[in-house]
Amino acid sequence: VQLQASGGGLVQAGGSLRLSCAASGSISSIYDMGWYRQAPGKQRELVASITSTGRGTYADSAKGRFTISRDNAKKSVYLQMNNLMPEDTAVYYCNADIFRVGRIMRQIYWGQGTLVTVSS
């Protein structure tokens, strides 16, 4: 199983970016999916997560600016980020709670990270 994240880049403050993350491999079911970020010198933190039925939860820093969504048919999760601020600069990681074909337990998988840089 692999998670491939994309969509990062350099944007000016106030701009927008949309991150995408697609899961592939021998997947039976995908439960919660989420986005985390890690800024230089800081711990990785949750940005937003979404259940298999589409219910999203957000960190306070993301509320009102970011929107998480998913496409179960495409095994993908997205993060629409609007009104970006310099403090949003970080490497963004997607993750997913996945039940692999033939396995009896779920496991968390992580994408490779995509860099978001917001200039002031």
Side-chain angles (χ1 to χ4, degrees), residues 12-91:
Q12 289 188 330
S16 298
L17 283 174
R18 185 175 187 249
L19 306 183
S20 300
C21 175
S24 62
S26 300
I27 296 170
S28 177
S29 302
I30 303 178
Y31 295 84
D32 289 2
M33 304 182 82
W35 288 96
Y36 286 70
R37 68 186 182 186
Q38 187 167 19
K42 295 188 177 181
Q43 289 188 332
R44 191 174 297 189
E45 63 178 4
L46 174 67
V47 176
S49 64
I50 186 167
T51 67
S52 58
T53 57
R55 180 169 56 87
T57 58
Y58 298 88
D60 287 344
S61 59
K63 289 178 181 176
R65 300 188 300 127
F66 295 0
T67 302
I68 191 169
S69 61
R70 64 189 285 170
D71 184 330
N72 290 331
K74 295 182 178 180
K75 300 183 177 65
S76 295
V77 62
Y78 309 97
L79 187 68
Q80 177 67 43
M81 304 186 293
N82 298 328
N83 192 22
L84 283 161
M85 301 183 292
E87 47 265 48
D88 294 317
T89 295
V91 177

